[in-house]
Amino acid sequence: AQTVTQSQPEMSVQEAETVTLSCTYDTSESDYYLFWYKQPPSRQMILVIRQEAYKQQNATENRFSVNFQKAAKSFSLKISDSQLGDAAMYFCAYRSPDMIIQGAQKLVFGQGTRLTINP
Amino acid sequence: DSGVTQTPKHLITATGQRVTLRCSPRSGDLSVYWYQQSLDQGLQFLIQYYNGEERAKGNILERFSAQQFPDLHSELNLSSLELGDSALYFCASSVNRHTANTGELFFGEGSRLTVL
């Protein structure tokens, strides 16, 4: 079974600085999706960024970027120019590719990293 | 707004009782997932339905059951409730029949269950 590990329960960063959240995963599959979700105090799950395993290029969304190392099974999230609104729990998640006959597979989540932004 | 609707948003009940949580997926989404998030914990996968049929099961207790109806909405039934069942229950949907699938799950705002 696939597993996702986030080794940093808590991180903090000064406003406007850069922070990197770590994530590793275990799978025997060659094609899959990886995600970072943000959960602010409102508890809503918000997609931050998505990476398809077959793509070599690291995904980027504005101030958020990933470092995807497929061989190492590592998927870290870098937040540049941190803002107070970035304070949240961040979850790394893995998903198998869709299987048309059986329907899409579930997301497997890591335990999360609580990010604090210091003004 | 993800397009996924969950009701009720908050629910307080007593031990031993039974509750039903409801989820309406995004328009056109065929898959529905249920997740449980206890306080300051990660999301634990409970169960998945695809077009009305159960497709994957996680660590769902025997006291819990779910179903997906022909109109694709889903219900999660929790019975003989215990204090430890207090949690945020998320519904998510994906696999749209009309648009390309991005692999993303779209989450509702969750139903917060408190068992006293």
Side-chain angles (χ1 to χ4, degrees), chain A residues 73-97:
Chain A
K73 296 180 183 175
S74 170
F75 183 60
S76 61
L77 174 70
K78 185 172 81 170
I79 306 174
S80 304
D81 185 25
S82 297
Q83 300 175 2
L84 295 177
D86 295 334
M89 281 288 284
Y90 285 82
F91 292 97
C92 178
Y94 169 100
R95 183 177 145 167
S96 298

Side-chain angles (χ1 to χ4, degrees), chain A residues 10-110:
Chain A
E10 296 183 356
M11 293 279 287
S12 63
V13 64
Q14 290 296 124
E15 193 176 3
E17 298 287 304
T18 295
V19 64
T20 298
L21 308 183
S22 300
C23 172
T24 58
Y25 57 95
D26 184 29
T27 184
S28 58
E29 296 173 323
S30 60
D31 190 21
Y32 45 86
Y33 297 95
L34 294 166
F35 304 86
W36 279 97
Y37 277 85
K38 168 185 176 181
Q39 188 179 40
S42 67
R43 308 292 268 182
Q44 175 76 48
M45 293 293 288
I46 302 166
L47 178 67
V48 175
I49 202 163
R50 172 182 59 243
Q51 175 82 43
E52 288 103 331
Y54 69 87
K55 290 187 176 179
Q56 300 276 356
Q57 190 172 6
N58 289 325
T60 298
E61 289 287 340
N62 301 314
R63 298 182 295 107
F64 298 87
S65 62
V66 299
N67 183 5
F68 173 47
Q69 301 289 328
K70 190 172 184 179
K73 296 180 183 175
S74 170
F75 183 60
S76 61
L77 174 70
K78 185 172 81 170
I79 306 174
S80 304
D81 185 25
S82 297
Q83 300 175 2
L84 295 177
D86 295 334
M89 281 288 284
Y90 285 82
F91 292 97
C92 178
Y94 169 100
R95 183 177 145 167
S96 298
D98 294 341
M99 297 169 65
I100 302 301
I101 296 176
Q102 296 187 22
Q105 300 301 302
K106 64 183 184 292
L107 280 181
V108 177
F109 285 89

Side-chain angles (χ1 to χ4, degrees), chain B residues 73-91:
Chain B
H73 91 271
S74 178
E75 293 181 355
L76 179 65
N77 301 297
L78 316 175
S79 61
S80 302
L81 286 167
E82 302 175 359
L83 296 177
D85 297 328
S86 295
L88 189 58
Y89 291 85
F90 282 105
C91 170

Side-chain angles (χ1 to χ4, degrees), chain B residues 3-46:
Chain B
V4 179
T5 303
Q6 288 189 249
T7 57
K9 286 188 167 44
H10 300 275
L11 189 57
I12 301 174
T13 188
T15 55
Q17 295 297 305
R18 172 189 171 95
V19 299
T20 297
L21 310 180
R22 181 188 169 98
C23 170
S24 294
R26 280 193 323 158
S27 177
D29 278 2
L30 298 169
S31 271
V32 169
Y33 309 74
W34 286 97
Y35 284 86
Q36 179 192 54
Q37 185 181 32
S38 300
L39 187 63
D40 289 333
Q41 298 292 311
L43 279 76
Q44 299 298 317
F45 170 70
L46 295 178

